[in-house]
Amino acid sequence: MTVHEDEIARLAELARIRIADDQVPAVTRRIGDILGMVEQLQAVDTDGIEPMTNPLDAVQCLRPDRVTEGNQRDALQAVAPAVENGLYLVPKVIE
Amino acid sequence: MSWEAVIGLEVHLQLATDSKIFSGAATTFGAEPNTQACAVDLAMPGMLPVLNELAVRYAVMFGLGIGAEIGTRSVFDRKNYFYPDLPKGYQISQFHHPIVGRGRFEITLEDGSTREIGITRAHLEEDAGKSLHEDFHGQSGIDLNRAGTPLLEIVTEPDLRSAEEAVAYLKALHSLVTYLGISDGNMAEGSMRCDINISLRPTGSDQLGTRAEIKNVNSFRFVERAIRHEIERQSDILEDGGKVVQETRLYDAERDETRSMRSKEVANDYRYFPEPDLLPVVLDDAWVEEIRAGLPELPVEKRQRFEQQYSLGAYDAGVLSASRPLADYFETVAGGCGDAKLAANWVQVELLGQLNRNDLGLADSPVSAEALAGLLQRIQDNSISGKIAKQVFEAMWQGEGSADEVIEARGLKQVSDSGELEAMVARVVADSPDQVAQYRAADEGKRKKLVGYFVGQVMKLSRGQANPKMVNDLLAQALDETD
């Protein structure tokens, strides 16, 4: 399985990771190596084996529907870079 | 060319839990910004989600309510995208193994016909926060109170064919989830939000056209208008030989149009993968059966029972079973007065009419079901006529007391005393020699019409309180006797 440089650039954009243009070939090669290993693993016969969704052999515990967290706004906003009228302020996301 | 619309809906239903799906913060609507957003909702480092039992129970109740397969082993996944109102950078959702699988759903259209709509799946997920883009000096304000609110996303097959069907489906869904009590169904507060997938194809074709998705429509009326608009827009494009572009559009209610959201090619690549912070959810068969046993009577069952038990028509049964409180109100009135048809009529015409005119919900009705039953009893025992009963109802609505109190206070009791009525009849007959002559000269068929005049006069004399049946009998006697 081969991976192309333009796919790496696209994935980087989706993940909001900045990869400098001159680094793209190296990253592409390294990810290609990882996929090569995955390819090897895929050669294993897994017929009849249930796909594992979590390595822990356990099931999810459920919690009762109770409000246990009160208003902690002041404490949480004390560490925020910018707040106003109780809102967290962030760079504008739409034009 | 004539076009057929192919429509599928995704409804995001807010579940009526007190706390969030993965944290112990409250979900109350309308709280001050960020006062219900705890460290888990803010995605502080090291925070871990713990699943709310009631959200799971509600999802299972929905699945059982539509006869769907329940995923006894369901898995949460991360849906990755970046937006400031989603602090983790991913939404915890379910992709490959939803909690509710295929089911079917019956809808009733305006003309009374029914259709089955396929449900593809329903899965649990968390809501995002809210972004406010105005008045923050070029910045956006973020309120994370809604972040982590439990949602059930209900996805239909592309089985709907028109705006009417889509609205009928949403109404039926609204009715079901409020019956189940798993959501307050308050659309104005965003408890039911709808994404519409819509494409057109030549009528008779079995190919699917290219679809557009209209995001986040939050009322029945807007769904109807957005679909109508979109059908028109797409058919204009196709008629001109153009191609519909697959994209996400927004419905603008003020301008009644849909418009394209700037679509990036890469926008819809969410790179789902299993959520490592949550283990698979495994449901015990006994637990599911316990939930099944506790399900209330559902709208379709209730409607059928109303038709059979009370001999109501399909339309009346549908109206009266649309919401659980209304159905309960009707049954209390029917039980209290012993005449289901009379009760059905009064609840639909007088009660719902008054509520609509005053823009009130059933819970705000100044006349209780018991009080209305009390009024209808007085019609049945001939204390008052149906016409007078409307006056009494009006007075009860204004808070003048029970039916008996109003009838007493206003002296509205029907005159059923035969002596008193005979005297009135005699007086009317004596005062109307011309009409009497006309009546007597007429044949049988015409007499039936002419007698109306006399009935009217007696009623006028009695200020509407004469027992109409007795008046008719007495008049027939008086007029025919002296023939």
Side-chain angles (χ1 to χ4, degrees):
Chain A
M1 183 174 178
T2 48
V3 59
H4 296 287
E5 291 186 6
D6 51 357
E7 289 175 278
I8 294 299
R10 184 169 152 274
L11 280 171
E13 191 194 336
L14 282 171
R16 302 293 190 273
I17 293 171
R18 195 191 311 272
I19 301 177
D21 287 349
D22 61 353
Q23 286 182 331
V24 171
V27 173
T28 306
R29 199 173 56 247
R30 269 162 31 217
I31 289 181
D33 289 347
I34 295 169
L35 291 175
M37 187 195 70
V38 172
E39 221 157 67
Q40 262 183 32
L41 290 173
Q42 276 178 335
V44 177
D45 179 10
T46 55
D47 276 2
I49 297 175
E50 201 180 313
M52 183 181 72
T53 47
N54 195 292
L56 300 176
D57 188 20
V59 297
Q60 181 62 37
C61 290
L62 305 178
R63 48 167 254 279
D65 178 39
R66 261 203 307 273
V67 176
T68 52
E69 303 293 318
N71 176 12
Q72 302 149 41
R73 185 170 79 180
D74 291 346
L76 291 165
Q77 296 202 331
V79 293
V83 295
E84 189 176 309
N85 297 337
L87 298 163
Y88 294 95
L89 296 190
V90 298
K92 194 153 193 159
V93 281
I94 58 164
E95 282 86 55
Chain B
M1 192 184 282
S2 90
W3 304 95
E4 178 183 57
V6 178
I7 303 164
L9 298 180
E10 294 167 20
V11 170
H12 291 85
L13 180 75
Q14 189 175 314
L15 298 175
T17 57
D18 290 337
S19 69
K20 294 192 175 169
I21 184 167
F22 299 122
S23 84
T27 56
T28 317
F29 179 82
E32 282 291 299
N34 292 307
T35 54
Q36 296 181 158
C38 70
V40 172
D41 308 321
L42 265 61
M44 287 295 182
M47 295 298 111
L48 288 173
V50 188
L51 185 56
N52 185 333
E53 187 261 356
L54 193 58
V56 176
R57 178 182 290 264
Y58 283 168
V60 171
M61 285 170 74
F62 175 77
L64 295 172
I66 59 162
E69 304 155 19
I70 303 299
T72 46
R73 183 187 166 88
S74 68
V75 176
F76 283 93
D77 297 279
R78 289 187 180 180
K79 178 180 179 177
N80 298 280
Y81 67 93
F82 288 96
Y83 209 75
D85 57 25
L86 186 78
K88 291 193 295 297
Y90 57 85
Q91 177 193 30
I92 304 179
S93 181
Q94 295 188 308
F95 191 55
H96 288 298
H97 304 283
I99 188 156
V100 176
R102 282 184 181 282
R104 302 207 63 79
F105 200 85
E106 189 187 283
I107 62 170
T108 305
L109 302 172
E110 292 266 312
D111 64 3
S113 64
T114 58
R115 275 204 62 196
E116 287 248 303
I117 304 302
I119 301 292
T120 314
R121 57 184 282 158
H123 64 258
L124 283 167
E125 62 183 26
E126 58 180 339
D127 207 346
K130 212 164 70 183
S131 303
L132 302 150
H133 301 295
E134 280 119 42
D135 299 331
F136 297 102
H137 342 287
Q139 295 184 289
S140 293
I142 307 293
D143 177 6
L144 294 170
N145 278 352
R146 209 180 56 187
T149 296
L151 301 178
L152 188 66
E153 180 174 332
I154 303 155
V155 183
T156 71
E157 293 288 297
D159 285 350
L160 300 157
R161 294 287 173 270
S162 66
E164 293 78 12
E165 288 189 11
V167 171
Y169 163 74
L170 288 173
K171 285 188 173 164
L173 182 65
H174 184 269
S175 172
L176 175 69
V177 301
T178 49
Y179 260 70
L180 289 169
I182 63 173
S183 175
D184 64 16
N186 189 330
M187 301 195 63
E189 293 177 4
S191 293
M192 232 175 126
R193 306 193 297 270
C194 187
D195 296 345
I196 306 161
N197 285 297
I198 174 167
S199 64
L200 297 190
R201 64 183 174 194
T203 305
S205 163
D206 56 3
Q207 305 278 312
L208 288 176
T210 307
R211 67 187 162 90
E213 184 180 20
I214 310 168
K215 281 270 188 204
N216 235 343
V217 188
N218 66 356
S219 82
F220 295 147
R221 197 161 49 96
F222 289 166
V223 166
E224 185 169 2
R225 282 163 54 181
I227 290 174
R228 282 187 204 288
H229 170 86
E230 188 59 21
I231 289 174
E232 210 170 288
R233 188 188 71 89
Q234 290 188 18
S235 68
D236 284 351
I237 292 174
L238 295 169
E239 294 284 348
D240 290 348
K243 277 189 175 158
V244 173
V245 182
Q246 180 160 352
E247 62 178 355
T248 302
R249 301 180 69 84
L250 268 186
Y251 177 67
D252 181 336
E254 257 167 48
R255 295 156 78 172
D256 191 23
E257 62 176 29
T258 64
R259 61 167 182 268
S260 185
M261 286 169 81
R262 242 170 5 108
S263 65
K264 285 190 204 142
E265 294 163 60
V266 293
N268 279 329
D269 189 342
Y270 295 122
R271 295 153 298 135
Y272 284 94
F273 65 87
E275 163 61 278
D277 290 342
L278 288 163
L279 292 160
V281 179
V282 176
L283 304 179
D284 186 19
D285 285 344
W287 192 67
V288 173
E289 287 315 309
E290 174 222 306
I291 294 173
R292 191 196 303 276
L295 287 184
E297 185 183 34
L298 298 177
V300 173
E301 297 161 0
K302 200 172 288 252
R303 197 187 70 223
Q304 286 164 353
R305 180 168 64 80
F306 279 9
E307 286 180 35
Q308 285 157 12
Q309 184 179 340
Y310 299 118
S311 310
L312 297 180
Y315 177 82
D316 291 353
V319 170
L320 293 169
S321 63
S323 88
R324 209 160 132 186
L326 183 64
D328 290 346
Y329 190 105
F330 160 69
E331 288 205 273
T332 306
V333 177
C337 75
D339 183 341
K341 287 211 165 138
L342 186 67
N345 205 6
W346 272 78
V347 169
Q348 288 183 86
V349 180
E350 302 306 325
L351 177 79
L352 292 183
Q354 278 285 11
L355 290 173
N356 286 341
R357 277 192 292 281
N358 293 286
D359 202 20
L360 293 175
L362 183 61
D364 311 314
S365 171
V367 179
S368 71
E370 290 76 10
L372 180 55
L375 172 62
L376 302 191
Q377 281 168 3
R378 294 291 87 85
I379 299 178
Q380 287 175 297
D381 66 13
N382 286 322
S383 299
I384 52 173
S385 65
K387 204 170 163 194
I388 293 285
K390 289 180 188 175
Q391 276 181 44
V392 177
F393 182 74
E394 185 68 45
M396 292 165 72
W397 190 270
Q398 303 302 333
E400 291 181 27
S402 70
D404 287 341
E405 285 162 359
V406 172
I407 292 166
E408 179 66 37
R410 296 194 173 192
L412 293 172
K413 198 162 163 45
Q414 184 157 276
V415 179
S416 300
D417 179 283
S418 54
E420 211 173 316
L421 289 176
E422 265 171 48
M424 286 190 218
V425 167
R427 196 173 137 195
V428 168
V429 170
D431 287 351
S432 319
D434 294 351
Q435 285 81 358
V436 172
Q438 205 184 352
Y439 177 91
R440 288 184 179 153
D443 59 25
E444 194 67 18
K446 236 176 168 194
R447 280 184 174 189
K448 278 197 174 120
K449 281 188 196 163
L450 291 169
V451 80
Y453 164 80
F454 298 99
V455 175
Q457 291 300 307
V458 177
M459 282 310 207
K460 209 163 139 192
L461 207 57
S462 71
R463 289 185 300 133
Q465 284 164 252
N467 178 328
K469 190 179 175 307
M470 290 180 72
V471 171
N472 269 303
D473 291 349
L474 289 169
L475 271 170
Q477 270 176 32
L479 292 165
D480 296 346
E481 208 169 62
T482 39
D483 232 344

